[in-house]
Amino acid sequence: GENVEQHPSTLSVQEGDSAVIKCTYSDSASNYFPWYKQELGKGPQLIIDIRSNVGEKKDQRIAVTLNKTAKHFSLHITETQPEDSAVYFCAASIRYGGATNKLIFGTGTLLAVQP
Amino acid sequence: DTAVSQTPKYLVTQMGNDKSIKCEQNLGHDTMYWYKQDSKKFLKIMFSYNNKELIINETVPNRFSPKSPDKAHLNLHINSLELGDSAVYFCASSHQTNNEQFFGPGTRLTVL
């Protein structure tokens, strides 16, 4: 069945250090991999995504890598700041019929950036 | 502001009651979703509508009935509420040709 595993479940880093969150997915048909940041009391916010025809994508301090062969993808945050503290979710998208897609979410990573 | 909005933000009710949550998006999207986030923060899709047509229904009890009066709105009605329905419910939207889903702020439902 469709499954996305995410590690670690909690991650504590010092301000300025890098943080890496890793996900694996089970369905080889998955072709879109977004990352969401959820702050306390708010909805998930799309921060970066990657599609299956690309191996790496970067946006300022955030980067994602994708290894389709191994079914792995990762989120890298450099020069972490206290405002990066949140729960981060990875997801894998599967086309469902011809008109929509379904996101399968990982179990989330609570990132705490210590000042 | 262009966004996905939900009402109410908080909903506290007794077991057995019927309640509704409303969602609206002004992003011009044609696909909308309902997700449930449980106490462990696990996010799971419940329903998806494309152009007012039900596309995804993920083994959700019949007590949950989504309704999409138009492409910009997707409401969720829940009958005979149970303790296990307590969760945060998120609405999201996307465009048919783009996988990017944008989430609303959530509705925290507490069933007593």
Side-chain angles (χ1 to χ4, degrees), chain B residues 18-39:
Chain B
D18 303 337
K19 291 292 179 185
S20 292
I21 307 172
K22 295 186 176 182
C23 178
E24 177 181 3
Q25 56 90 7
N26 60 7
L27 298 166
H29 291 161
D30 53 12
T31 304
M32 297 184 72
Y33 312 80
W34 278 111
Y35 286 85
K36 180 180 181 180
Q37 186 172 49
D38 61 23
S39 58

PDB file of all heavy atoms in Angstrom, chain B residues 18-39:
ATOM      1  N   ASP B  18     -25.025  17.186  15.497  1.00  0.00           N
ATOM      2  CA  ASP B  18     -24.648  17.338  14.092  1.00  0.00           C
ATOM      3  C   ASP B  18     -24.023  18.716  13.917  1.00  0.00           C
ATOM      4  O   ASP B  18     -24.570  19.707  14.412  1.00  0.00           O
ATOM      5  CB  ASP B  18     -25.883  17.243  13.184  1.00  0.00           C
ATOM      6  CG  ASP B  18     -26.649  15.951  13.367  1.00  0.00           C
ATOM      7  OD1 ASP B  18     -26.055  14.959  13.842  1.00  0.00           O
ATOM      8  OD2 ASP B  18     -27.849  15.934  13.023  1.00  0.00           O
ATOM      9  N   LYS B  19     -22.897  18.766  13.195  1.00  0.00           N
ATOM     10  CA  LYS B  19     -22.224  20.048  13.004  1.00  0.00           C
ATOM     11  C   LYS B  19     -21.676  20.157  11.580  1.00  0.00           C
ATOM     12  O   LYS B  19     -21.452  19.137  10.908  1.00  0.00           O
ATOM     13  CB  LYS B  19     -21.059  20.216  13.990  1.00  0.00           C
ATOM     14  CG  LYS B  19     -21.488  20.396  15.430  1.00  0.00           C
ATOM     15  CD  LYS B  19     -22.203  21.729  15.618  1.00  0.00           C
ATOM     16  CE  LYS B  19     -22.657  21.895  17.066  1.00  0.00           C
ATOM     17  NZ  LYS B  19     -23.461  23.133  17.240  1.00  0.00           N
ATOM     18  N   SER B  20     -21.430  21.397  11.168  1.00  0.00           N
ATOM     19  CA  SER B  20     -20.852  21.648   9.841  1.00  0.00           C
ATOM     20  C   SER B  20     -19.642  22.548   9.938  1.00  0.00           C
ATOM     21  O   SER B  20     -19.565  23.423  10.806  1.00  0.00           O
ATOM     22  CB  SER B  20     -21.888  22.315   8.928  1.00  0.00           C
ATOM     23  OG  SER B  20     -22.945  21.432   8.624  1.00  0.00           O
ATOM     24  N   ILE B  21     -18.692  22.311   9.033  1.00  0.00           N
ATOM     25  CA  ILE B  21     -17.520  23.168   8.881  1.00  0.00           C
ATOM     26  C   ILE B  21     -17.528  23.669   7.434  1.00  0.00           C
ATOM     27  O   ILE B  21     -17.806  22.901   6.511  1.00  0.00           O
ATOM     28  CB  ILE B  21     -16.209  22.397   9.129  1.00  0.00           C
ATOM     29  CG1 ILE B  21     -16.246  21.667  10.476  1.00  0.00           C
ATOM     30  CG2 ILE B  21     -15.020  23.335   9.066  1.00  0.00           C
ATOM     31  CD1 ILE B  21     -15.068  20.730  10.679  1.00  0.00           C
ATOM     32  N   LYS B  22     -17.224  24.965   7.287  1.00  0.00           N
ATOM     33  CA  LYS B  22     -17.258  25.544   5.948  1.00  0.00           C
ATOM     34  C   LYS B  22     -15.859  25.908   5.462  1.00  0.00           C
ATOM     35  O   LYS B  22     -14.989  26.269   6.262  1.00  0.00           O
ATOM     36  CB  LYS B  22     -18.153  26.786   5.940  1.00  0.00           C
ATOM     37  CG  LYS B  22     -19.606  26.484   6.233  1.00  0.00           C
ATOM     38  CD  LYS B  22     -20.475  27.705   6.084  1.00  0.00           C
ATOM     39  CE  LYS B  22     -21.942  27.350   6.290  1.00  0.00           C
ATOM     40  NZ  LYS B  22     -22.840  28.505   6.103  1.00  0.00           N
ATOM     41  N   CYS B  23     -15.661  25.795   4.164  1.00  0.00           N
ATOM     42  CA  CYS B  23     -14.369  26.132   3.569  1.00  0.00           C
ATOM     43  C   CYS B  23     -14.598  26.913   2.282  1.00  0.00           C
ATOM     44  O   CYS B  23     -15.473  26.569   1.478  1.00  0.00           O
ATOM     45  CB  CYS B  23     -13.557  24.878   3.290  1.00  0.00           C
ATOM     46  SG  CYS B  23     -11.969  25.200   2.493  1.00  0.00           S
ATOM     47  N   GLU B  24     -13.770  27.934   2.099  1.00  0.00           N
ATOM     48  CA  GLU B  24     -13.832  28.734   0.884  1.00  0.00           C
ATOM     49  C   GLU B  24     -12.426  29.041   0.409  1.00  0.00           C
ATOM     50  O   GLU B  24     -11.531  29.295   1.223  1.00  0.00           O
ATOM     51  CB  GLU B  24     -14.581  30.047   1.157  1.00  0.00           C
ATOM     52  CG  GLU B  24     -14.628  30.990  -0.041  1.00  0.00           C
ATOM     53  CD  GLU B  24     -15.357  32.290   0.259  1.00  0.00           C
ATOM     54  OE1 GLU B  24     -15.779  32.487   1.409  1.00  0.00           O
ATOM     55  OE2 GLU B  24     -15.489  33.112  -0.660  1.00  0.00           O
ATOM     56  N   GLN B  25     -12.221  29.017  -0.897  1.00  0.00           N
ATOM     57  CA  GLN B  25     -10.925  29.421  -1.444  1.00  0.00           C
ATOM     58  C   GLN B  25     -11.144  30.431  -2.555  1.00  0.00           C
ATOM     59  O   GLN B  25     -12.080  30.295  -3.356  1.00  0.00           O
ATOM     60  CB  GLN B  25     -10.116  28.198  -1.918  1.00  0.00           C
ATOM     61  CG  GLN B  25     -10.796  27.305  -2.938  1.00  0.00           C
ATOM     62  CD  GLN B  25     -10.544  27.665  -4.382  1.00  0.00           C
ATOM     63  OE1 GLN B  25      -9.735  28.536  -4.691  1.00  0.00           O
ATOM     64  NE2 GLN B  25     -11.238  26.994  -5.299  1.00  0.00           N
ATOM     65  N   ASN B  26     -10.274  31.442  -2.595  1.00  0.00           N
ATOM     66  CA  ASN B  26     -10.364  32.451  -3.644  1.00  0.00           C
ATOM     67  C   ASN B  26      -9.112  32.444  -4.520  1.00  0.00           C
ATOM     68  O   ASN B  26      -8.707  33.482  -5.049  1.00  0.00           O
ATOM     69  CB  ASN B  26     -10.610  33.834  -3.036  1.00  0.00           C
ATOM     70  CG  ASN B  26      -9.489  34.253  -2.092  1.00  0.00           C
ATOM     71  OD1 ASN B  26      -8.470  33.580  -1.973  1.00  0.00           O
ATOM     72  ND2 ASN B  26      -9.656  35.375  -1.415  1.00  0.00           N
ATOM     73  N   LEU B  27      -8.519  31.247  -4.632  1.00  0.00           N
ATOM     74  CA  LEU B  27      -7.294  31.083  -5.422  1.00  0.00           C
ATOM     75  C   LEU B  27      -7.598  30.695  -6.864  1.00  0.00           C
ATOM     76  O   LEU B  27      -6.670  30.512  -7.656  1.00  0.00           O
ATOM     77  CB  LEU B  27      -6.412  30.010  -4.772  1.00  0.00           C
ATOM     78  CG  LEU B  27      -5.934  30.335  -3.347  1.00  0.00           C
ATOM     79  CD1 LEU B  27      -5.362  29.099  -2.673  1.00  0.00           C
ATOM     80  CD2 LEU B  27      -4.910  31.449  -3.387  1.00  0.00           C
ATOM     81  N   GLY B  28      -8.873  30.534  -7.175  1.00  0.00           N
ATOM     82  CA  GLY B  28      -9.230  30.122  -8.538  1.00  0.00           C
ATOM     83  C   GLY B  28      -8.985  28.651  -8.813  1.00  0.00           C
ATOM     84  O   GLY B  28      -8.946  28.226  -9.972  1.00  0.00           O
ATOM     85  N   HIS B  29      -8.813  27.863  -7.753  1.00  0.00           N
ATOM     86  CA  HIS B  29      -8.568  26.425  -7.915  1.00  0.00           C
ATOM     87  C   HIS B  29      -9.855  25.684  -8.234  1.00  0.00           C
ATOM     88  O   HIS B  29     -10.953  26.150  -7.922  1.00  0.00           O
ATOM     89  CB  HIS B  29      -7.948  25.852  -6.637  1.00  0.00           C
ATOM     90  CG  HIS B  29      -6.559  26.338  -6.399  1.00  0.00           C
ATOM     91  ND1 HIS B  29      -5.957  26.262  -5.146  1.00  0.00           N
ATOM     92  CD2 HIS B  29      -5.638  26.880  -7.218  1.00  0.00           C
ATOM     93  CE1 HIS B  29      -4.734  26.744  -5.233  1.00  0.00           C
ATOM     94  NE2 HIS B  29      -4.515  27.129  -6.474  1.00  0.00           N
ATOM     95  N   ASP B  30      -9.700  24.497  -8.832  1.00  0.00           N
ATOM     96  CA  ASP B  30     -10.885  23.713  -9.171  1.00  0.00           C
ATOM     97  C   ASP B  30     -10.968  22.411  -8.373  1.00  0.00           C
ATOM     98  O   ASP B  30     -11.899  21.628  -8.570  1.00  0.00           O
ATOM     99  CB  ASP B  30     -10.901  23.393 -10.668  1.00  0.00           C
ATOM    100  CG  ASP B  30      -9.605  22.732 -11.134  1.00  0.00           C
ATOM    101  OD1 ASP B  30      -8.788  22.322 -10.279  1.00  0.00           O
ATOM    102  OD2 ASP B  30      -9.412  22.642 -12.354  1.00  0.00           O
ATOM    103  N   THR B  31     -10.016  22.178  -7.491  1.00  0.00           N
ATOM    104  CA  THR B  31     -10.009  20.961  -6.692  1.00  0.00           C
ATOM    105  C   THR B  31      -9.868  21.329  -5.222  1.00  0.00           C
ATOM    106  O   THR B  31      -9.020  22.148  -4.864  1.00  0.00           O
ATOM    107  CB  THR B  31      -8.854  20.035  -7.115  1.00  0.00           C
ATOM    108  OG1 THR B  31      -8.960  19.772  -8.521  1.00  0.00           O
ATOM    109  CG2 THR B  31      -8.932  18.709  -6.368  1.00  0.00           C
ATOM    110  N   MET B  32     -10.700  20.706  -4.371  1.00  0.00           N
ATOM    111  CA  MET B  32     -10.653  20.990  -2.942  1.00  0.00           C
ATOM    112  C   MET B  32     -10.647  19.692  -2.158  1.00  0.00           C
ATOM    113  O   MET B  32     -11.099  18.645  -2.644  1.00  0.00           O
ATOM    114  CB  MET B  32     -11.839  21.865  -2.529  1.00  0.00           C
ATOM    115  CG  MET B  32     -11.816  23.235  -3.209  1.00  0.00           C
ATOM    116  SD  MET B  32     -13.114  24.347  -2.677  1.00  0.00           S
ATOM    117  CE  MET B  32     -12.566  24.774  -1.005  1.00  0.00           C
ATOM    118  N   TYR B  33     -10.108  19.764  -0.934  1.00  0.00           N
ATOM    119  CA  TYR B  33      -9.872  18.568  -0.131  1.00  0.00           C
ATOM    120  C   TYR B  33     -10.263  18.822   1.318  1.00  0.00           C
ATOM    121  O   TYR B  33     -10.211  19.955   1.800  1.00  0.00           O
ATOM    122  CB  TYR B  33      -8.372  18.204  -0.133  1.00  0.00           C
ATOM    123  CG  TYR B  33      -7.703  18.198  -1.474  1.00  0.00           C
ATOM    124  CD1 TYR B  33      -7.282  19.382  -2.067  1.00  0.00           C
ATOM    125  CD2 TYR B  33      -7.446  16.997  -2.141  1.00  0.00           C
ATOM    126  CE1 TYR B  33      -6.643  19.388  -3.296  1.00  0.00           C
ATOM    127  CE2 TYR B  33      -6.801  16.992  -3.374  1.00  0.00           C
ATOM    128  CZ  TYR B  33      -6.400  18.187  -3.943  1.00  0.00           C
ATOM    129  OH  TYR B  33      -5.759  18.178  -5.157  1.00  0.00           O
ATOM    130  N   TRP B  34     -10.587  17.731   2.017  1.00  0.00           N
ATOM    131  CA  TRP B  34     -10.677  17.745   3.467  1.00  0.00           C
ATOM    132  C   TRP B  34      -9.682  16.740   4.020  1.00  0.00           C
ATOM    133  O   TRP B  34      -9.614  15.591   3.546  1.00  0.00           O
ATOM    134  CB  TRP B  34     -12.077  17.375   3.970  1.00  0.00           C
ATOM    135  CG  TRP B  34     -13.034  18.510   3.959  1.00  0.00           C
ATOM    136  CD1 TRP B  34     -14.118  18.686   3.160  1.00  0.00           C
ATOM    137  CD2 TRP B  34     -12.997  19.657   4.813  1.00  0.00           C
ATOM    138  NE1 TRP B  34     -14.751  19.859   3.443  1.00  0.00           N
ATOM    139  CE2 TRP B  34     -14.090  20.487   4.454  1.00  0.00           C
ATOM    140  CE3 TRP B  34     -12.155  20.088   5.847  1.00  0.00           C
ATOM    141  CZ2 TRP B  34     -14.361  21.699   5.094  1.00  0.00           C
ATOM    142  CZ3 TRP B  34     -12.421  21.296   6.474  1.00  0.00           C
ATOM    143  CH2 TRP B  34     -13.518  22.079   6.104  1.00  0.00           C
ATOM    144  N   TYR B  35      -8.921  17.193   5.019  1.00  0.00           N
ATOM    145  CA  TYR B  35      -7.967  16.354   5.727  1.00  0.00           C
ATOM    146  C   TYR B  35      -8.329  16.325   7.207  1.00  0.00           C
ATOM    147  O   TYR B  35      -8.866  17.295   7.743  1.00  0.00           O
ATOM    148  CB  TYR B  35      -6.537  16.908   5.617  1.00  0.00           C
ATOM    149  CG  TYR B  35      -5.884  16.720   4.282  1.00  0.00           C
ATOM    150  CD1 TYR B  35      -6.092  17.627   3.249  1.00  0.00           C
ATOM    151  CD2 TYR B  35      -5.039  15.636   4.047  1.00  0.00           C
ATOM    152  CE1 TYR B  35      -5.483  17.466   2.016  1.00  0.00           C
ATOM    153  CE2 TYR B  35      -4.408  15.467   2.815  1.00  0.00           C
ATOM    154  CZ  TYR B  35      -4.641  16.385   1.813  1.00  0.00           C
ATOM    155  OH  TYR B  35      -4.022  16.216   0.599  1.00  0.00           O
ATOM    156  N   LYS B  36      -7.957  15.223   7.864  1.00  0.00           N
ATOM    157  CA  LYS B  36      -8.104  15.120   9.309  1.00  0.00           C
ATOM    158  C   LYS B  36      -6.717  14.965   9.922  1.00  0.00           C
ATOM    159  O   LYS B  36      -5.913  14.138   9.456  1.00  0.00           O
ATOM    160  CB  LYS B  36      -8.963  13.903   9.674  1.00  0.00           C
ATOM    161  CG  LYS B  36      -9.168  13.703  11.173  1.00  0.00           C
ATOM    162  CD  LYS B  36     -10.037  12.475  11.441  1.00  0.00           C
ATOM    163  CE  LYS B  36     -10.270  12.271  12.922  1.00  0.00           C
ATOM    164  NZ  LYS B  36     -11.123  11.083  13.198  1.00  0.00           N
ATOM    165  N   GLN B  37      -6.428  15.779  10.951  1.00  0.00           N
ATOM    166  CA  GLN B  37      -5.156  15.658  11.676  1.00  0.00           C
ATOM    167  C   GLN B  37      -5.459  15.231  13.102  1.00  0.00           C
ATOM    168  O   GLN B  37      -6.109  15.974  13.850  1.00  0.00           O
ATOM    169  CB  GLN B  37      -4.377  16.968  11.656  1.00  0.00           C
ATOM    170  CG  GLN B  37      -2.980  16.837  12.279  1.00  0.00           C
ATOM    171  CD  GLN B  37      -2.143  18.081  12.091  1.00  0.00           C
ATOM    172  OE1 GLN B  37      -2.568  19.199  12.355  1.00  0.00           O
ATOM    173  NE2 GLN B  37      -0.918  17.905  11.612  1.00  0.00           N
ATOM    174  N   ASP B  38      -4.976  14.063  13.484  1.00  0.00           N
ATOM    175  CA  ASP B  38      -5.298  13.540  14.806  1.00  0.00           C
ATOM    176  C   ASP B  38      -4.353  14.102  15.863  1.00  0.00           C
ATOM    177  O   ASP B  38      -3.506  14.953  15.571  1.00  0.00           O
ATOM    178  CB  ASP B  38      -5.288  12.006  14.796  1.00  0.00           C
ATOM    179  CG  ASP B  38      -3.931  11.422  14.424  1.00  0.00           C
ATOM    180  OD1 ASP B  38      -2.899  12.117  14.584  1.00  0.00           O
ATOM    181  OD2 ASP B  38      -3.886  10.265  13.987  1.00  0.00           O
ATOM    182  N   SER B  39      -4.502  13.610  17.074  1.00  0.00           N
ATOM    183  CA  SER B  39      -3.739  14.142  18.210  1.00  0.00           C
ATOM    184  C   SER B  39      -2.240  13.901  18.071  1.00  0.00           C
ATOM    185  O   SER B  39      -1.432  14.586  18.683  1.00  0.00           O
ATOM    186  CB  SER B  39      -4.238  13.542  19.518  1.00  0.00           C
ATOM    187  OG  SER B  39      -4.121  12.134  19.464  1.00  0.00           O
TER     188      SER B  39
END
